Amino acid sequence: MQSFFDPAILFFVFGILAGSLKSNLEIPPQISRFLSLYLLMALGLKGGFALAHSGLTADVLVSLGAALAMAILVPLLGYLSLRRFLNGFDAAAIAATYGSVSAVTFITTVQYLDTQGISFGGHMAAAMALMESPAIVLAVVLANHARQKAKAQGIGAAAGGNTPLRRILHEALTDGAQLLLLGAMLIGILTGEAGQAAMKPFSVDLFKGMLAFFLLDMGLLAARNMGKLKGQSLGLLVYAFVGPLVHASLALGMAWVLGMSVGNTALLMVLAASASYIAVPAVIRHAIPEANPSLYFGMSLGLTFPFNILVGIPLYVQAAQHWL
């Protein structure tokens, strides 16, 4: 309950309320874009400074390996589950969305852990970047397989030809937000303590206020996307809430086996439980045009994102504290 009264979370709740009331309150897209880039830059710097202090240890490699494993496991399990009541294209698109990560959910969790005094490794920001692309690649492979199967069966319903993996990989790996995160992390590693002291007013003092402002915008967007899911099957709505819990539980089990710390485990759980609503939908819209955007975008932003921000984050942290 304490996390619910965090100012940043309350601004998110206020945004949902304002959006539900159909208020004309809105954050201009350019400002929203700036806020997201600022948060990623600040997060990358924090991670880089932490890595400069700790170095590349066995714990870092274990965490990155666990992140990569979850980035492959989650979309595959999601596709197998969703394929029972969806066509191959929608199942692949939603699996990619839930197999990738939400940077804002991760950043909010970092702030929550700082508030709770729970330590974590700065390298987890690199884990987040590592988990963004595998789900996209898997989804494109699955969609191409569905197209080939449709052609073999004489079904001409596919809206597009096979998508070249090279182009998808280029789009995923050169995404501006991801490059900024990695670039800021590299700068943090190179500059170390001197850079940390110089950038503190930017990457620390402003962080909480910027996050609150951005979560206000996210609350508005979430409220306006909930309506897209009216009339959808109950199975989809259940997956939007149960899927993240299952994915987080898998991450917890993996972290327990690997002996990861509480803070790193909580962040791995959040990454596994989150769903992309920016990078992946933008790529999937072009790579899998047969899929229905209102499903994968509406589910991730309208249902799963609010659930994780309001309920999931404290739940995952408490689970990590209890089991580790």
Side-chain angles (χ1 to χ4, degrees), residues 16-192:
I16 291 180
L17 178 62
S20 301
L21 294 175
K22 302 189 183 303
S23 167
N24 62 356
L25 174 64
E26 64 176 348
I27 310 299
Q30 297 87 346
I31 294 179
S32 179
R33 176 66 173 168
F34 164 75
L35 291 171
S36 67
L37 292 177
Y38 163 81
L39 291 171
L40 287 170
M41 184 175 176
L43 179 65
L45 285 171
K46 287 182 178 181
F49 296 145
L51 276 174
H53 178 73
S54 67
L56 191 62
T57 64
D59 288 340
V60 172
L61 296 177
V62 166
S63 297
L64 295 180
L68 184 59
M70 291 304 303
I72 297 172
L73 180 62
V74 169
L76 287 177
L77 290 177
Y79 179 79
L80 292 175
S81 300
L82 293 163
R83 193 65 183 88
R84 297 179 180 181
F85 50 90
L86 287 175
N87 63 64
F89 300 113
D90 284 330
I94 296 174
T97 303
Y98 280 78
S100 190
V101 295
S102 163
V104 178
T105 308
F106 180 84
I107 291 169
T108 306
T109 309
V110 166
Q111 182 65 36
Y112 179 81
L113 292 176
D114 283 337
T115 303
Q116 298 295 312
I118 300 173
S119 61
F120 56 90
H123 62 276
M124 293 305 293
M128 181 185 72
L130 192 64
M131 290 179 71
E132 187 167 18
S133 301
I136 300 175
V137 176
L138 284 171
V140 171
V141 171
L142 292 169
N144 286 345
H145 175 72
R147 292 189 188 102
Q148 294 296 336
K149 187 175 180 180
K151 288 180 182 178
Q153 294 175 348
I155 302 173
N162 286 352
T163 305
L165 277 178
R166 183 193 300 182
R167 181 164 66 85
I168 295 302
L169 278 172
H170 180 268
E171 290 181 10
L173 297 177
T174 61
D175 176 70
Q178 184 165 320
L179 279 181
L180 177 62
L181 174 70
L182 295 175
M185 185 177 297
L186 178 60
I187 291 170
I189 293 172
L190 293 175
T191 57

